[in-house]
Amino acid sequence: GAVVSQHPSWVICKSGTSVKIECRSLDFQATTMFWYRQFPKQSLMLMATSNEGSKATYEQGVEKDKFLINHASLTLSTLTVTSAHPEDSSFYICSAKSGASTDTQYFGPGTRLTVL
Amino acid sequence: AQSVTQLGSHVSVSEGALVLLRCNYSSSVPPYLFWYVQYPNQGLQLLLKYTSAATLVKGINGFEAEFKKSETSFHLTKPSAHMSDAAEYFCAVNSWGKLQFGAGTQVVVTP
């Protein structure tokens, strides 16, 4: 149990285009989903927290108009990178949890974004 | 605020030898602590978690960790390393519903 999927697993796009990444909890209802960014050989950096049916809460320094997050259902959250630029190239990972704030986060396999 | 510090960004261990990854935490409240493993180009997989029950926590793949309040530590161990243990390991603490990650420790297993 506790499986989280992401789609696509990798994507290459041209500078200036937008890219949507999906995160799904396959066997549980995720009241909260998280989006992380990871640079090579570095730890995970939390970008935002989203609760189903509410606006996402962004971490300091993360542009909410650039990284649009939607959590429309208990099993799906999307991250849209708008007007992508090469500096947005990174590994994006989502996680999901249900219930209490202390519950375990289960992570998706990640999405490799390359902006040309 | 809660935080964790992982000592040693790289650890090299011989196959069959003890694996010891160090993690110290800072927390003003009883912490919830986690160890995750990440294989190249993959997401994070939960190894084990401490939630204030037993101080010795057993996880998957033969890993275990011991919570020591007096030392503010939550070190991860495995008695005998396997080649498949080569990966990045992250210690994390729950901080107001979010995870605060350590910098990670890269484990290399040599034959």
Side-chain angles (χ1 to χ4, degrees), chain A residues 34 36 38 43-44 46 59 91 93 97 101-102 104-105 107-109 112, chain B residues 32 34 36 38 41-44 46 49 90 94 97-99 101-103:
Chain A
F34 303 84
Y36 296 84
Q38 186 179 33
S43 190
L44 281 72
L46 179 64
E59 296 299 303
F91 193 53
I93 307 175
K97 68 177 181 181
S101 64
T102 53
T104 301
Q105 288 186 30
F107 286 79
R112 174 74 59 192
Chain B
Y32 282 62
F34 305 81
Y36 287 89
Q38 184 180 32
N41 297 308
Q42 294 188 27
L44 274 66
L46 179 68
K49 64 179 179 180
F90 292 98
N94 184 65
K98 305 176 187 178
L99 286 178
F101 286 93

Coordinates of all heavy atoms in Angstrom, one line a residue, chain A residues 34 36 38 43-44 46 59 91 93 97 101-102 104-105 107-109 112, chain B residues 32 34 36 38 41-44 46 49 90 94 97-99 101-103:
Chain A
F34 N 2.7 17.3 -1.1 CA 3.8 18.2 -1.1 C 4.6 18.1 -2.4 O 4.7 17.1 -3.0 CB 4.8 17.8 0.1 CG 4.2 17.8 1.4 CD1 3.5 16.6 1.9 CD2 4.3 18.9 2.3 CE1 2.9 16.6 3.1 CE2 3.7 18.8 3.5 CZ 3.0 17.7 4.0
Y36 N 8.4 18.9 -4.0 CA 9.8 19.2 -3.7 C 10.6 19.4 -5.0 O 10.2 18.9 -6.0 CB 10.4 18.0 -2.9 CG 9.8 17.8 -1.6 CD1 8.7 17.0 -1.4 CD2 10.4 18.3 -0.4 CE1 8.2 16.7 -0.2 CE2 9.9 18.0 0.8 CZ 8.8 17.2 1.0 OH 8.3 16.9 2.2
Q38 N 14.7 19.0 -6.3 CA 16.0 18.4 -5.9 C 17.0 18.7 -7.0 O 16.8 18.3 -8.1 CB 15.9 16.9 -5.6 CG 17.1 16.3 -5.0 CD 17.0 14.9 -4.8 OE1 16.3 14.1 -5.4 NE2 17.7 14.4 -3.7
S43 N 19.9 17.8 -1.2 CA 18.7 17.3 -0.5 C 17.5 17.9 -1.2 O 17.5 18.6 -2.1 CB 18.8 17.7 1.0 OG 17.8 17.1 1.7
L44 N 16.4 17.5 -0.6 CA 15.1 17.9 -1.2 C 14.7 19.3 -0.6 O 14.9 19.6 0.6 CB 14.0 17.0 -0.8 CG 13.8 15.7 -1.7 CD1 15.0 14.7 -1.4 CD2 12.5 15.0 -1.4
L46 N 11.6 21.8 -0.1 CA 10.1 21.9 -0.2 C 9.7 23.1 -0.9 O 10.2 24.2 -0.6 CB 9.5 21.9 1.2 CG 8.0 22.0 1.3 CD1 7.3 20.7 0.7 CD2 7.6 22.1 2.8
E59 N 6.5 27.9 0.0 CA 7.6 28.2 0.9 C 8.2 29.5 0.4 O 8.1 30.0 -0.7 CB 8.7 27.1 0.8 CG 8.2 25.8 1.4 CD 7.8 25.9 2.8 OE1 8.6 26.3 3.7 OE2 6.6 25.5 3.2
F91 N 14.8 18.0 -10.8 CA 14.1 16.8 -10.5 C 13.0 17.2 -9.5 O 13.3 17.8 -8.4 CB 15.1 15.8 -9.8 CG 14.5 14.4 -9.7 CD1 14.0 13.7 -10.9 CD2 14.5 13.7 -8.5 CE1 13.5 12.5 -10.8 CE2 14.1 12.4 -8.5 CZ 13.6 11.8 -9.6
I93 N 9.8 16.2 -7.2 CA 9.3 15.0 -6.5 C 8.0 15.4 -5.7 O 8.1 16.5 -5.0 CB 10.3 14.4 -5.5 CG1 11.6 14.1 -6.2 CG2 9.7 13.1 -4.9 CD1 12.7 13.6 -5.3
K97 N 0.3 12.4 2.0 CA 0.0 11.7 3.3 C -1.5 11.9 3.5 O -2.1 12.8 3.0 CB 0.8 12.3 4.4 CG 0.5 13.7 4.8 CD 1.4 14.1 6.0 CE 1.1 15.5 6.4 NZ 2.0 15.9 7.6
S101 N -1.0 15.4 10.9 CA 0.2 16.1 10.5 C 1.5 15.3 10.7 O 2.5 15.5 10.0 CB 0.4 17.5 11.1 OG 0.5 17.3 12.5
T102 N 1.4 14.3 11.6 CA 2.6 13.5 11.9 C 2.6 12.3 11.1 O 3.5 11.5 11.2 CB 2.6 13.1 13.4 OG1 1.3 12.5 13.7 CG2 2.8 14.4 14.3
T104 N 3.1 9.6 8.0 CA 4.2 9.4 7.1 C 3.9 10.0 5.7 O 2.8 9.9 5.2 CB 4.5 7.9 7.0 OG1 4.8 7.4 8.2 CG2 5.7 7.7 6.0
Q105 N 4.9 10.6 5.1 CA 4.8 11.1 3.7 C 5.3 9.9 2.8 O 6.4 9.4 3.1 CB 5.6 12.3 3.5 CG 5.1 13.6 4.1 CD 5.8 14.8 3.7 OE1 6.4 14.9 2.6 NE2 5.9 15.8 4.6
F107 N 6.4 9.0 -1.1 CA 7.0 9.8 -2.2 C 6.7 9.2 -3.6 O 6.7 7.9 -3.7 CB 8.5 10.0 -2.0 CG 8.8 11.0 -0.9 CD1 8.8 10.7 0.4 CD2 9.1 12.3 -1.3 CE1 9.0 11.6 1.4 CE2 9.4 13.3 -0.3 CZ 9.4 12.9 1.0
G108 N 6.5 10.0 -4.5 CA 6.4 9.6 -5.9 C 7.8 9.3 -6.4 O 8.8 9.7 -5.8
P109 N 7.9 8.8 -7.7 CA 9.2 8.4 -8.2 C 10.0 9.6 -8.8 O 11.1 9.5 -9.2 CB 8.8 7.4 -9.3 CG 7.5 7.8 -9.7 CD 6.8 8.3 -8.5
R112 N 11.9 14.2 -14.0 CA 13.1 15.0 -14.5 C 12.6 16.0 -15.5 O 12.2 15.6 -16.6 CB 14.1 14.0 -15.0 CG 15.3 14.7 -15.7 CD 16.2 15.2 -14.6 NE 16.7 14.2 -13.7 CZ 17.4 14.5 -12.6 NH1 17.6 15.7 -12.2 NH2 17.8 13.5 -11.8
Chain B
Y32 N 9.2 13.3 15.6 CA 8.9 12.1 14.8 C 10.0 12.1 13.8 O 10.2 13.1 13.1 CB 7.5 12.3 14.1 CG 6.3 12.0 15.0 CD1 6.1 12.7 16.1 CD2 5.5 10.9 14.7 CE1 5.0 12.4 16.9 CE2 4.4 10.6 15.5 CZ 4.2 11.4 16.6 OH 3.1 11.1 17.4
F34 N 12.4 10.1 10.7 CA 12.3 9.2 9.6 C 13.7 9.0 8.9 O 14.5 9.9 8.9 CB 11.4 9.8 8.5 CG 10.0 10.1 9.0 CD1 9.8 11.3 9.7 CD2 8.9 9.3 8.8 CE1 8.5 11.7 10.1 CE2 7.7 9.6 9.3 CZ 7.5 10.8 9.9
Y36 N 14.8 7.8 5.0 CA 14.4 7.5 3.7 C 15.7 7.1 2.9 O 16.8 7.6 3.1 CB 13.7 8.6 3.0 CG 12.4 9.0 3.5 CD1 12.1 9.9 4.5 CD2 11.2 8.4 2.8 CE1 10.9 10.2 4.9 CE2 9.9 8.7 3.2 CZ 9.8 9.6 4.3 OH 8.5 9.9 4.7
Q38 N 17.1 6.8 -1.2 CA 16.8 7.3 -2.6 C 17.8 6.6 -3.5 O 19.1 6.8 -3.4 CB 16.9 8.8 -2.8 CG 16.5 9.3 -4.1 CD 16.6 10.8 -4.3 OE1 17.4 11.4 -3.6 NE2 15.7 11.3 -5.1
N41 N 17.9 8.7 -9.6 CA 16.7 9.0 -10.5 C 15.4 8.5 -10.0 O 14.5 8.2 -10.8 CB 17.0 8.6 -11.9 CG 18.2 9.4 -12.5 OD1 18.3 10.6 -12.4 ND2 19.1 8.7 -13.0
Q42 N 15.3 8.3 -8.7 CA 14.0 7.8 -8.2 C 13.6 8.6 -7.0 O 14.3 9.5 -6.5 CB 14.2 6.3 -7.7 CG 14.5 5.3 -8.8 CD 14.5 3.9 -8.3 OE1 13.8 3.5 -7.4 NE2 15.2 3.0 -9.0
G43 N 12.4 8.4 -6.6 CA 11.9 9.1 -5.4 C 12.4 8.5 -4.1 O 13.4 7.7 -4.2
L44 N 11.8 8.9 -3.0 CA 12.3 8.4 -1.7 C 11.5 7.3 -1.2 O 10.2 7.3 -1.4 CB 12.3 9.5 -0.7 CG 13.5 10.5 -0.6 CD1 13.6 11.3 -1.9 CD2 13.4 11.4 0.6
L46 N 10.6 5.0 2.2 CA 10.6 5.0 3.6 C 11.3 3.7 4.1 O 10.9 2.6 3.8 CB 9.2 5.1 4.2 CG 9.2 5.0 5.7 CD1 9.8 6.3 6.3 CD2 7.7 4.9 6.2
K49 N 10.6 4.6 10.7 CA 10.2 5.9 11.3 C 10.1 5.6 12.8 O 9.8 4.5 13.3 CB 8.9 6.4 10.8 CG 7.7 5.5 11.0 CD 6.4 6.1 10.5 CE 5.2 5.2 10.7 NZ 4.0 5.8 10.1
F90 N 18.5 9.7 3.5 CA 18.1 11.0 4.1 C 17.5 10.7 5.5 O 16.6 9.9 5.6 CB 17.1 11.7 3.2 CG 17.8 12.2 2.0 CD1 17.6 11.5 0.8 CD2 18.4 13.4 1.9 CE1 18.1 12.0 -0.4 CE2 19.0 13.9 0.7 CZ 18.9 13.1 -0.4
N94 N 9.8 15.5 11.4 CA 8.6 16.1 11.2 C 8.5 17.5 11.9 O 8.7 17.5 13.1 CB 7.4 15.2 11.6 CG 6.0 15.9 11.3 OD1 5.7 16.0 10.1 ND2 5.3 16.2 12.3
G97 N 4.1 19.4 10.6 CA 3.4 18.7 9.4 C 4.3 18.7 8.2 O 3.9 18.1 7.2
K98 N 5.5 19.3 8.2 CA 6.4 19.2 7.1 C 7.6 18.4 7.5 O 7.9 18.3 8.7 CB 6.8 20.6 6.6 CG 5.7 21.5 6.3 CD 6.2 22.9 6.0 CE 5.1 23.9 5.8 NZ 5.6 25.3 5.6
L99 N 8.3 17.9 6.5 CA 9.6 17.2 6.7 C 10.7 18.1 6.5 O 10.9 18.8 5.5 CB 9.7 16.0 5.8 CG 8.8 14.8 6.1 CD1 9.0 13.7 5.1 CD2 9.1 14.2 7.5
F101 N 14.6 17.8 6.0 CA 15.6 16.8 5.6 C 17.0 17.1 6.0 O 17.4 18.3 6.0 CB 15.5 16.5 4.1 CG 14.3 15.7 3.7 CD1 13.2 16.4 3.3 CD2 14.3 14.4 3.7 CE1 12.0 15.7 2.8 CE2 13.2 13.6 3.3 CZ 12.1 14.3 2.8
G102 N 17.8 16.1 6.3 CA 19.2 16.4 6.4 C 19.8 16.5 5.0 O 19.1 16.3 4.0
A103 N 21.1 16.7 4.9 CA 21.7 16.9 3.6 C 21.9 15.6 2.8 O 22.2 15.7 1.6 CB 23.1 17.6 3.8

